[in-house]
Amino acid sequence: MPTVRMHSSFATRLSSLAAWRAGVDRSVATLASWLREHELHGEAEAQLLGSLHERLQSEKLIVAFVAEFSRGKSELINAIFFSDAGRRVLPAAPGRTTMCPVELRHDADKAPSLALLPIETRLRGLSLAELRDRDEPWSRIPLNPGDPEGLVRAMAEVTRTSRVSVDEARALGLWDDQRPEENSAQAADGSVEVPAWRHALINYPHPLLDRGLVIIDTPGLNAIGAEPELTLGLLPSAHATVFVLGADTGVTRSDLEVWRQHLGARAVERFVVLNKIDTLADPLGSAEQIEQQIAQQRTQTALTLGIDVARVFPLSARDALAARLKGDAEGLVRSRLPELEAALSAQLLPGQHEMLSIATCDTLVALRAAALHQLADRRRHNAEETLEMRGLRGKSSAKVRLMLTRVEAEIADFERCTVRLSATRAVHMKLLRAATEPLGSQTLRKHVAAMQPPVGMRLVAGGALRPFETLCAHLRDAFVRARGHGDEMHRMVDASFSRLNAEFGFAFLAGALPTFERWEHELGLIERNYSQYLGLTQAWRLAAPGAMEQFRRMLLSKLRMVFESAASELELWSKNVSGQIDHQLRERRRAFRRRHDALERIQQAAGELESRISELEDQEQRLRDMQQRLESLVDAAQSAAQMSPQALARRDAA
């Protein structure tokens, strides 16, 4: 067998994106180090840099694969991502294969392993988010990266099933009395087959996973519907969804239900795969007839799903994997997989590059403005002292003593202004607490807890939807109240800063208050998605023991991320305000101390005057050089951020 491995365009461009992220991170780190060295960033700037570093280091690219059973989804994942293992990684035998949702990612801080969550945990009412970081109750199988065979054996565990009674299946959300045609067949003893596992997490050091790729493998309508966190958390968080159909079956009723309930309205990149075109081969038909049949299937699929035909990709995942393993370039082209990979690369990766580029440039603009503000303040103090020192040339010692007395008076006056600053800070912190209180976890938990439907109210009558709508109204009101207190805080800080700047020569700048638009938009998406889940089609699932409690826990976790993020932005703005005060007070005290010490030296020795003037002139030149260096470092980081990953790779290669 040839040893050549034909990597996909998606893998190549993902590698370029990872290299670009690393290059931008290095440029930003160089700037951050220089700012620290010259005391040009405070706590707020450090937090901005830390947040950007975290994004550049660990931003994930999530691709979800969704299909009913036996559509060849696992084989497609093998063909696109794991052909370099030399064989299938995900089980892809005929019939039901992956029985539970599988997440593939790599966390270098954790040992390679397959973690399996027992299906019985659904009865405890705990969400996946709450269980992710717990050792209990996961079953863990260590994985050896040097043993592909061992990985394949371990992965076979995700196909395992259990047999339970109908009552148990109903409690687990895997039996619907209203839809008997979707239930598993009962054995002679009345038992039914259910997945042994609720969720599987694979932590494995594969090159693509190392670069931030996360793959979600979701099996079938029943698995999606039974786990609300898939519908409301994992799938909406994916950057792209690949919906796999069988070319031999077209869009079946269950396929259409998956699409309409869980994928049709998603605001993500959606790709539809018509897999198994190899099954359409007919020894009695011509190549043209087969091609015409594929084209008809493609057109009909696009029409049925209501998407552009360019989003439908006929291919053979089995032939593509075989071609890659054999190094058969012509066979790979015939499989048509490269067309899907090119679309994933062209439509998905540039979007992530653009988001990270914008985030980086926004952070750089904020850092440059803050540093230039501080440098300008230093230059102003330096210029004032230089003018003062030059005015002492040829003056008597009495004049120097008079100047020294005036500086001491200015110091005393300055210390009196700190009392006003303390009062400003006290009012500021009071308003900050008022602004963040509506966004706090305690308030949020109280509202979510009130979503319990009245006793005796039937879920099928909309009993869960109405309390949820009331909850969303309360949450929208919380944002309105937080925005009102935030605006009041900003007006107070801006007015106080204006007075202090005029009276004491400070250079305080309130800056723009963070807007709530992004978080209100996130709240709107949650309301839309969760309202859809609480509709009549899911009522029977929510009636299962513990289902509503799990739903509330999951909802609380999702809302907490939105509200805590909004509160964090307010607090970051507040830290920037406080940081300005601390920095300018420190700089002012330092400047006063230098002036006072210089005048004392001049009073003692006349030769010190010219020496001090020379020091101030040198300091002015250093500050100018620092300003130029700042601009140079920011420009270099912005240039790296705005460059395409491919251009950066070409530049580094040259």
Side-chain angles (χ1 to χ4, degrees):
M1 177 184 296
T3 58
V4 177
R5 295 286 183 257
M6 295 169 291
H7 296 292
S8 70
S9 58
F10 182 86
T12 302
R13 293 190 66 170
L14 185 60
S15 296
S16 297
L17 180 62
W20 173 84
R21 285 164 46 184
V24 172
D25 194 34
R26 285 193 298 271
S27 296
V28 174
T30 300
L31 171 64
S33 176
W34 185 86
L35 291 173
R36 282 193 301 271
E37 179 185 349
H38 294 89
E39 299 181 3
L40 286 172
H41 84 13
E43 185 179 355
E45 288 75 30
Q47 192 167 336
L48 273 175
L49 283 163
S51 176
L52 179 60
H53 173 72
E54 181 67 22
R55 284 196 69 177
L56 290 169
Q57 285 282 313
S58 58
E59 184 90 346
K60 301 299 183 185
L61 181 67
I62 304 172
V63 182
F65 288 77
V66 180
E68 279 289 74
F69 290 108
S70 300
R71 301 295 189 264
K73 170 176 49 63
S74 297
E75 192 80 320
L76 180 61
I77 296 173
N78 285 326
I80 297 177
F81 303 112
F82 298 120
S83 60
D84 58 354
R87 58 166 300 164
R88 291 184 176 96
V89 172
L90 295 181
R96 289 195 172 190
T97 52
T98 307
M99 294 296 292
C100 70
V102 179
E103 258 183 90
L104 297 98
R105 60 171 68 219
H106 184 226
D107 182 348
D109 295 330
K110 297 179 180 178
S113 66
L114 167 62
L116 298 154
L117 186 64
I119 194 71
E120 293 79 15
T121 57
R122 283 188 182 152
L123 302 176
R124 295 169 54 179
L126 297 176
S127 68
L128 286 174
E130 292 175 292
L131 293 169
R132 275 181 184 274
D133 296 325
R134 297 188 184 184
D135 288 332
E136 182 273 330
W138 296 84
S139 295
R140 299 185 187 275
I141 301 174
L143 299 176
N144 180 1
D147 179 16
E149 295 283 346
L151 174 62
V152 172
R153 288 194 300 273
M155 281 303 305
E157 185 65 24
V158 301
T159 68
R160 190 152 69 84
T161 61
S162 300
R163 300 204 70 85
V164 299
S165 68
V166 169
D167 288 341
E168 289 176 294
R170 187 182 296 113
L172 291 168
L174 298 172
W175 184 273
D176 183 0
D177 293 318
Q178 305 301 317
R179 301 184 180 187
E181 72 280 1
E182 294 183 5
N183 296 329
S184 299
Q186 289 183 260
D189 61 358
S191 65
V192 295
E193 184 183 44
V194 298
W197 310 109
R198 175 182 177 184
H199 201 76
L201 293 172
I202 301 173
N203 186 47
Y204 194 74
H206 184 276
L208 293 180
L209 304 181
D210 289 342
R211 292 166 192 142
L213 179 67
V214 175
I215 300 169
I216 301 174
D217 181 3
T218 303
L221 176 62
N222 214 25
I224 298 175
E227 192 62 70
E229 205 153 348
L230 284 175
T231 304
L232 304 170
L234 287 176
L235 292 181
S237 70
H239 298 93
T241 301
V242 180
F243 185 46
V244 186
L245 304 168
D248 53 343
T249 59
V251 184
T252 66
R253 189 172 67 84
S254 61
D255 289 327
L256 190 57
E257 194 166 357
V258 171
W259 179 264
R260 287 175 174 170
Q261 288 190 22
H262 305 295
L263 302 177
R266 298 295 178 206
V268 297
E269 294 287 352
R270 296 171 301 170
F271 303 85
V272 176
V273 168
L274 268 175
N275 193 22
K276 304 185 180 181
I277 60 172
D278 51 294
T279 62
L280 300 180
D282 184 356
L284 301 180
S286 66
E288 290 77 12
Q289 289 173 325
I290 296 172
E291 187 61 37
Q292 185 178 14
Q293 185 179 358
I294 292 173
Q296 288 174 346
Q297 278 275 47
R298 186 184 188 197
T299 301
Q300 185 59 46
T301 297
L303 185 64
T304 302
L305 299 182
I307 60 172
D308 193 302
V309 70
R311 288 279 175 163
V312 182
F313 297 87
L315 56 84
S316 170
R318 185 181 65 178
D319 288 354
L321 178 60
R324 280 219 160 104
L325 295 181
K326 296 175 182 177
D328 179 5
E330 292 183 2
L332 183 61
V333 171
R334 286 196 301 272
S335 76
R336 305 195 188 193
L337 180 63
E339 296 170 24
L340 171 65
E341 293 172 338
L344 285 169
S345 301
Q347 299 176 41
L348 182 59
L349 298 180
Q352 193 186 45
H353 166 259
E354 183 180 3
M355 286 189 298
L356 288 174
S357 177
I358 291 172
T360 300
C361 290
D362 287 348
T363 299
L364 291 171
V365 167
L367 292 172
R368 171 192 269 150
L372 286 175
H373 194 68
Q374 293 184 36
L375 284 173
D377 196 42
R378 290 182 190 180
R379 291 186 65 187
R380 182 170 61 84
H381 288 307
N382 198 71
E384 290 172 355
E385 187 179 354
T386 301
L387 186 63
E388 186 179 68
M389 292 296 105
R390 286 172 177 166
L392 290 175
R393 281 173 169 157
K395 303 296 182 181
S396 64
S397 60
K399 179 67 173 179
V400 175
R401 282 197 301 273
L402 182 63
M403 292 292 298
L404 190 58
T405 301
R406 193 176 78 181
V407 169
E408 289 171 348
E410 288 179 13
I411 293 173
D413 191 45
F414 164 72
E415 292 301 335
R416 282 194 297 274
C417 90
T418 59
V419 176
R420 287 177 56 181
L421 281 171
S422 296
T424 298
R425 271 183 160 160
V427 176
H428 171 205
M429 295 310 297
K430 180 179 179 181
L431 290 172
L432 178 64
R433 287 192 294 272
T436 55
E437 187 273 334
L439 308 175
S441 295
Q442 186 174 354
T443 303
L444 187 60
R445 193 177 294 110
K446 179 186 70 176
H447 287 315
V448 174
M451 206 185 77
Q452 177 69 44
V455 176
M457 182 174 286
R458 296 178 61 202
L459 290 173
V460 293
L465 185 57
R466 283 193 288 274
F468 178 71
E469 291 171 343
T470 301
L471 166 68
C472 291
H474 287 314
L475 298 181
R476 287 193 296 272
D477 180 64
F479 272 118
V480 170
R481 288 187 289 121
R483 189 192 302 112
H485 289 302
D487 289 342
E488 182 183 358
M489 177 172 58
H490 185 267
R491 288 193 296 271
M492 185 280 297
V493 168
D494 192 46
S496 297
F497 277 7
S498 296
R499 289 193 298 270
L500 289 165
N501 291 345
E503 293 179 30
F504 297 100
F506 286 108
F508 295 137
L509 184 66
L513 192 73
T515 68
F516 285 87
E517 290 180 4
R518 178 157 66 106
W519 307 117
E520 289 173 329
H521 175 68
E522 287 288 328
L523 180 60
L525 290 177
I526 291 173
E527 182 175 5
R528 186 185 70 191
N529 293 339
Y530 280 59
S531 294
Q532 181 179 345
Y533 188 84
L534 288 170
L536 297 179
T537 58
Q538 297 294 335
W540 70 276
R541 296 189 189 277
L542 291 170
M548 197 62 196
E549 177 60 25
Q550 179 188 341
F551 179 85
R552 276 198 301 273
R553 285 172 175 266
M554 183 186 62
L555 175 61
L556 178 62
S557 176
K558 186 73 173 178
L559 290 171
R560 186 185 289 122
M561 286 192 292
V562 173
F563 276 65
E564 286 180 353
S565 297
S568 293
E569 289 200 1
L570 270 179
E571 289 166 355
L572 181 60
W573 177 85
S574 174
K575 285 180 180 179
N576 186 49
V577 167
S578 298
Q580 285 186 65
I581 294 174
D582 292 336
H583 174 77
Q584 292 194 37
L585 287 178
R586 187 169 57 250
E587 288 288 323
R588 183 67 63 89
R589 288 193 175 99
R590 187 181 298 168
F592 276 134
R593 187 168 57 252
R594 285 197 302 264
R595 287 175 62 195
H596 189 273
D597 292 348
L599 285 168
E600 284 188 333
R601 290 198 307 271
I602 292 165
Q603 192 176 30
Q604 296 168 6
E608 289 287 340
L609 177 60
E610 293 302 323
S611 175
R612 180 57 182 161
I613 292 174
S614 179
E615 287 177 7
L616 290 169
E617 290 172 345
D618 290 344
Q619 176 66 11
E620 170 63 16
Q621 185 58 52
R622 284 194 295 273
L623 289 170
R624 287 179 182 174
D625 292 343
M626 286 170 62
Q627 186 167 326
Q628 290 179 356
R629 179 59 175 160
L630 169 66
E631 296 286 2
S632 174
L633 289 171
V634 171
D635 287 346
Q638 281 186 326
S639 176
Q642 292 168 347
M643 189 177 296
S644 73
Q646 291 73 29
L648 182 64
R650 288 194 296 269
R651 187 195 71 179
D652 291 346

